[in-house]
Amino acid sequence: MANDEPRNPGRRSLLTGAAALSVAPLVGRAASTAPGGAIAPAGDVDMILQVNGRDHRLALDVRTSLLDALREHLHLTGSKKGCDQGQCGACTVHADGERVLSCLTLAVAAQGRAITTIEGLAGENQPLHPVQQAFIDQDGFQCGYCTPGQIMSAVACIKEGHAHSDAQIREYMSGNLCRCAAYPNIVAAIKQARGAMENG
């Protein structure tokens, strides 16, 4: 006896069909070819990033973070990839003098802004920045992984006037995590650097 009623699709076949339909446009776009038969990368755009006083011409996927552009394409590895979610501060850089989390900033959105990384903080053939020197003097690091981000945030902390008390420094620097717990030394370094920056 033939069953003429339409068969209800099972959960598995429904999910498999939906997944196939959602991936099909992506596969088609990624497989588009450039002249000469090479596969054209999807979403690459030409951009100019001004980093540490120099212009860098790059062709990057529009989804590339500033952190990945700095580390993977410009080979400036001072900014660290800690959490890649904007929660640890290890990737902190300056954009037009303001601290930003480079893991949450798209490279394409950083065009037209002056980006400063830890490598460009003191300038070529110049003495260390007062904050860098203070971190050394006060032993403001242990493993050193978070130190570039700590230093970049500390510079902003002082420049923005948030370094007048230990409590104020701790509050402003709370977005930068140090798994080695060098926090008292970091506060001492910021206090030392504040004096040098204000008098120099």
Side-chain angles (χ1 to χ4, degrees), residues 24 34 124:
E124 260 184 72

Side-chain angles (χ1 to χ4, degrees), residues 106-141:
L106 291 175
V108 71
Q111 290 187 99
R113 301 186 77 184
I115 306 300
T116 305
T117 67
I118 191 72
E119 293 91 344
L121 189 59
E124 260 184 72
N125 303 317
Q126 298 295 318
L128 291 176
H129 187 280
V131 175
Q132 292 172 311
Q133 188 61 56
F135 266 69
I136 293 169
D137 295 347
Q138 297 295 332
D139 198 21
F141 53 89

Side-chain angles (χ1 to χ4, degrees), residues 8-125:
N8 288 332
R11 181 172 177 253
R12 181 172 300 195
S13 62
L14 182 66
L15 291 174
T16 302
L21 287 174
S22 66
V23 171
L26 299 175
V27 171
R29 189 175 75 201
S32 64
T33 56
I39 294 179
D44 279 9
V45 295
D46 292 328
M47 64 182 75
I48 299 173
L49 293 180
Q50 184 190 34
V51 181
N52 299 331
R54 294 184 180 161
D55 286 346
H56 300 272
R57 295 182 184 279
L58 300 166
L60 300 175
D61 187 298
V62 294
R63 299 164 295 179
T64 303
S65 70
L66 178 58
L67 177 61
D68 286 341
L70 294 170
R71 291 182 59 81
E72 306 299 327
H73 300 277
L74 298 180
H75 309 291
L76 296 170
T77 57
S79 304
K80 303 301 186 210
K81 185 177 277 197
C83 67
D84 211 21
Q85 298 177 355
Q87 296 178 359
C88 72
C91 67
T92 304
V93 298
H94 293 173
D96 293 333
E98 297 177 354
R99 70 177 179 163
V100 296
L101 298 171
S102 61
C103 74
L104 296 182
T105 304
L106 291 175
V108 71
Q111 290 187 99
R113 301 186 77 184
I115 306 300
T116 305
T117 67
I118 191 72
E119 293 91 344
L121 189 59
E124 260 184 72
N125 303 317

